[in-house]
Amino acid sequence: MNHNGIRFENFSYAYGEVQALRSINIEIAGNELFTVMGPTGSGKTTMLRCLNRLNDLVGSGRCSGSVFVGGRSIYDPSVDVTSLRRRVGMVFAMPTVLPASIYENVAYGLRRAGERAAVVISTVVEKSLIAAALWDEVKDRLGERADRLSGGQQQRLALARILALEPDVILLDEPTSGLDPISTLRIEDLLRDLAEKYTIVLATHNPHQAARVGSRVGFLFQGEIVEIAPAAQIFTSPGDQRTEAFVSGRLG
């Protein structure tokens, strides 16, 4: 398996008495753009948060089964969770920008990781903004507050902040849900480019987005993976009636 591949083995997760994920089995290749599609409340966010152990912050949560990233069990007691979250970065539905300049938003993680050399930080900031398709729009105003950017720009800035830490895996939880159609298409195009270097897991409740991205799709419904198939197959000849109902708009 590629060093940044992902594997779920009979993985389940519950919040208290609520069973959010049930016996998930998925294998995602390194440098694959994989889409998790399903209606709101199906468990998509939980699944992503289990991949970088953000769900550890939920006191009532409990899991069973295994999750591997790069061939290593991420729930092994020896795993450094801080290091894991650097390797497996996450972009949330609403853009998360720090109350600071555009430059400092990207530099933040580097500084926290101990980088002090200004030339190194500047180089990484520029490289990350270029990779997030934002550099040309902001290169002359890096000192401006990040919250003055448009929603689409803020989402790409959040992505640049993750790229600055050189992750293996990028998780995106409904990253375009609050964006206009043009910004949405730009993010989708960007993800296809980034998949050449990173393993990407995109969660969406929008079947049209899953179809446009055109990757392999897993349909998640009520905490269960109903089926996994290439997008073209999911949308033309789904193997389960629930999938067909969702992609046709009769479910969710």
Side-chain angles (χ1 to χ4, degrees):
M1 177 182 288
N2 187 291
H3 74 282
N4 52 351
I6 296 167
R7 187 168 80 253
F8 287 84
E9 288 187 355
N10 296 317
F11 186 80
S12 298
Y13 190 89
Y15 299 99
E17 299 302 313
V18 178
Q19 192 69 43
L21 297 174
R22 304 169 189 272
S23 301
I24 301 296
N25 287 284
I26 302 175
E27 188 151 348
I28 301 170
N31 300 95
E32 179 178 4
L33 170 52
F34 185 85
T35 301
V36 181
M37 174 184 74
T40 300
S42 59
K44 302 185 301 299
T45 297
T46 298
M47 181 177 155
L48 294 192
R49 288 171 62 93
C50 285
L51 272 169
N52 65 358
R53 292 186 51 177
L54 278 178
N55 280 335
D56 287 11
L57 305 176
V58 180
S60 63
R62 65 184 189 280
C63 64
S64 62
S66 303
V67 181
F68 299 87
V69 175
R72 183 179 182 188
S73 170
I74 65 171
Y75 285 90
D76 187 285
S78 66
V79 168
D80 182 324
V81 178
T82 299
S83 176
L84 172 69
R85 290 174 186 158
R86 285 190 62 179
R87 291 179 55 216
V88 184
M90 186 163 177
V91 177
F92 301 92
M94 296 303 294
T96 52
V97 299
L98 305 173
S101 69
I102 295 168
Y103 182 96
E104 288 300 330
N105 263 264
V106 184
Y108 175 77
L110 290 172
R111 296 194 195 280
R112 286 203 63 183
E115 183 59 63
R116 294 291 178 264
V119 65
V120 172
I121 293 174
S122 293
T123 299
V124 173
V125 167
E126 178 177 347
K127 179 181 176 182
S128 303
L129 288 168
I130 290 171
L134 190 57
W135 175 252
D136 289 342
E137 298 168 44
V138 303
K139 62 184 178 182
D140 297 323
R141 51 191 181 117
L142 294 177
E144 289 187 11
R145 284 180 60 93
D147 56 13
R148 294 180 180 174
L149 295 174
S150 70
Q153 289 173 325
Q154 288 185 29
Q155 197 64 298
R156 281 180 282 145
L157 181 65
L159 181 56
R161 192 164 66 237
I162 289 172
L163 295 176
L165 295 175
E166 299 186 338
D168 295 325
V169 176
I170 301 173
L171 312 174
L172 300 109
D173 185 18
E174 307 276 6
T176 62
S177 61
L179 303 183
D180 62 86
I182 293 175
S183 296
T184 293
L185 292 175
R186 188 154 195 184
I187 293 284
E188 291 170 0
D189 288 342
L190 178 58
L191 297 184
R192 283 186 283 269
D193 292 338
L194 289 173
E196 295 180 8
K197 186 175 181 181
Y198 307 96
T199 301
I200 299 175
V201 184
L202 168 68
T204 182
H205 68 275
N206 186 339
H208 298 293
Q209 180 167 66
R212 287 194 303 268
V213 170
S215 65
R216 208 161 51 107
V217 177
F219 176 52
L220 186 65
F221 181 65
Q222 295 181 341
E224 298 182 21
I225 288 290
V226 173
E227 66 177 296
I228 299 173
Q233 179 179 330
I234 285 276
F235 290 97
T236 57
S237 55
D240 189 282
Q241 291 183 345
R242 292 167 293 179
T243 311
E244 195 280 329
F246 181 72
V247 300
S248 67
R250 293 185 288 107
L251 176 67

